[in-house]
């Protein structure tokens, strides 16, 4: 005989304990199947794109999604489940097909991206459409784990690097520094600095957008307009942060030499980038609070 689902009492959204029924066998089967499929994928990602400064945020996104799903387990399994086997089966078939193509053709974007569809399909099979609606944020947030396509990176990196170089040059010129620019190469005094791909802002924009979405989820603002404005504000914030990073490297190189600019300060400037971005994001959020908190756009109940 099949073992019955396990029922436990979990704290609900109101803080009171609710009866939660977990279909352990179904969950175990799905977790084992996903592990067989995606552990090799995660291993490959860890050896390639996750091992770079540009897209090293992937494991953090995956861990955040796992934490969010665990945190909402009571709401997912507390209500009576209505599995959608047809929709879940069709979506799972599509996800497996995409995974097979990505795995066989070594297209890591398809291989990793299929996880979004696989996880959604599994939730349809276990808890149904209502559960997927409740878990929409972790499912959407998982998109930031997927590596950026190389074609997109190449197409957007050069324009962004050029824009960062132009703005940094103008600001340093207005500040009285002897600086000139040729393409994305900046000459300050006797030193030349090449604005690298990491300073373009594309990957930091992707990472900062992910952090912004997580911040909005944690804050749980009830105003959609506030969330949209805050999400869009991260785009110029990312650009300003990257310009700040380049200016710091220019100043360090000009005053302390090329070795200082390429040594510890190069990595430290990357930390400054995210520090500036977080400060600006919080500042924009406080400005929005002055308007939206009085209009019912403050934090809601978790």
């Amino acid at each position: 005989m099949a073992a019955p689902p396990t029922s436990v009492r979990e704290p609900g959204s109101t803080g009171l304990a609710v009866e939660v029924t977990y279909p352990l066998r179904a969950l175990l089967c799905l977790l084992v199947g996903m592990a067989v499929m995606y552990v090799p994928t995660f291993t490959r990602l860890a050896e390639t794109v996750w091992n770079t400064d540009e897209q090293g945020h992937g494991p953090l996104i995956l861990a955040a999604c796992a934490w969010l799903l665990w945190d909402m387990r009571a709401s997912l399994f507390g209500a009576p489940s209505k599995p959608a086997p047809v929709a879940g089966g069709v979506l799972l078939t599509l996800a497996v097909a995409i995974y097979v193509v990505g795995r066989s053709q070594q297209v890591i974007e398809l291989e990793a991206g299929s996880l979004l569809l696989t996880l959604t399909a599994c939730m349809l099979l276990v808890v149904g459409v209502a559960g997927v609606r409740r878990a929409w944020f972790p499912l959407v947030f998982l998109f930031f784990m997927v590596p950026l396509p190389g074609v997109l990176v190449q197409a957007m990196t050069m324009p962004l690097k050029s824009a960062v170089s132009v703005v940094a040059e103008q600001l340093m010129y207005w500040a009285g520094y002897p600086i000139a620019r040729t393409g994305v190469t900046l000459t300050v005094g006797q030193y030349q600095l090449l604005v690298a791909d990491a300073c373009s802002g594309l990957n930091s924009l992707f990472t900062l957008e992910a952090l912004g979405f997580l911040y909005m989820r944690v804050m749980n603002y009830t105003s959609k307009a506030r969330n949209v404005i805050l999400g869009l504000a991260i785009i110029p914030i990312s650009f300003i942060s990257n310009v700040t990073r380049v200016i710091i490297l220019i100043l360090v190189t000009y005053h302390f030499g090329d070795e200082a600019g390429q040594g510890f300060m190069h990595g430290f400037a990357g930390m400054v980038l995210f520090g500036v971005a977080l400060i600006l994001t919080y500042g924009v959020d406080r400005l929005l609070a002055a308007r939206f908190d009085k209009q019912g756009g403050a934090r809601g109940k978790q």
Side-chain angles (χ1 to χ4, degrees):
M1 294 179 62
T6 299
S7 297
V8 297
R9 298 189 69 81
E10 296 275 5
S13 58
T14 60
L16 300 176
V18 296
E19 193 77 16
V20 182
T21 301
Y22 295 102
L24 291 182
R25 286 199 172 186
L27 289 174
L28 182 61
C29 290
L30 292 175
L31 287 174
V32 170
M34 292 182 66
V36 171
M37 288 177 62
Y38 290 106
V39 166
T41 301
F42 296 151
T43 302
R44 182 183 169 196
L45 287 169
E47 294 172 348
T48 54
V49 295
W50 285 358
N51 200 29
T52 64
D53 293 336
E54 292 81 5
Q55 302 196 56
H57 59 271
L60 300 178
I61 301 297
L62 188 63
C65 289
W67 170 73
L68 289 170
L69 288 173
W70 174 259
D71 188 57
M72 61 174 55
R73 64 191 183 280
S75 63
L76 288 176
F77 297 100
S81 61
K82 296 180 180 180
V86 175
V90 171
L91 189 60
L92 184 59
T93 302
L94 176 62
V96 171
I98 294 174
Y99 172 85
V100 170
V101 172
R103 184 74 177 172
S104 62
Q105 302 303 313
Q106 298 294 300
V107 182
I108 192 62
E109 294 83 3
L110 291 179
E111 186 179 343
S114 66
L115 177 61
L116 283 71
L117 298 179
T118 302
L119 186 57
T120 304
C122 291
M123 295 191 68
L124 285 172
L125 293 172
V126 176
V127 294
V129 177
V132 173
R133 288 175 179 170
R134 286 191 289 269
W136 72 269
F137 181 83
L139 297 176
V140 173
F141 189 66
L142 196 60
F143 167 77
F144 290 100
M145 181 208 70
V146 181
L148 292 173
V151 175
L152 176 63
V153 173
Q154 294 175 3
M156 296 185 64
T157 294
M158 183 54 70
L160 287 171
K161 284 199 302 183
S162 298
V164 169
S165 303
V166 169
V167 174
E169 178 206 11
Q170 290 298 318
L171 291 176
M172 295 301 295
Y173 177 77
W174 291 338
Y177 283 87
I179 189 169
R181 180 181 60 86
T182 303
V184 294
T185 300
L186 298 173
T187 302
V188 53
Q190 60 180 326
Y191 303 106
Q192 283 191 338
L193 295 91
L194 176 66
V195 179
D197 291 351
C199 296
S200 67
L202 178 60
N203 291 293
S204 60
L205 170 61
F206 203 63
T207 304
L208 291 173
E209 282 289 351
L211 292 175
F213 270 80
L214 185 59
Y215 175 82
M216 287 184 283
R217 170 63 181 178
V218 172
M219 298 303 293
N220 196 30
Y221 293 131
T222 58
S223 171
K224 293 182 180 179
R226 179 177 186 168
N227 289 329
V228 170
I229 294 173
L230 188 58
L232 293 176
I234 293 176
I235 298 175
I237 286 174
S238 174
F239 183 81
I240 294 171
S241 302
N242 276 281
V243 171
T244 304
R245 176 186 186 181
V246 172
I247 289 176
I248 289 175
L249 292 175
I250 292 174
L251 291 173
V252 170
T253 301
Y254 180 74
H255 289 288
F256 301 102
D258 187 62
E259 291 186 1
Q262 298 301 319
F264 167 77
M265 285 304 300
H266 193 276
F268 180 74
M271 293 187 287
V272 170
L273 180 150
F274 285 99
V276 171
L278 290 175
I279 292 173
L280 291 176
T281 300
Y282 182 76
V284 171
D285 186 33
R286 291 301 88 204
L287 292 175
L288 293 174
R291 173 178 176 82
F292 288 99
D293 281 2
K294 296 179 181 180
Q295 299 179 359
R299 298 181 65 179
K301 294 181 179 179
Q302 292 285 358

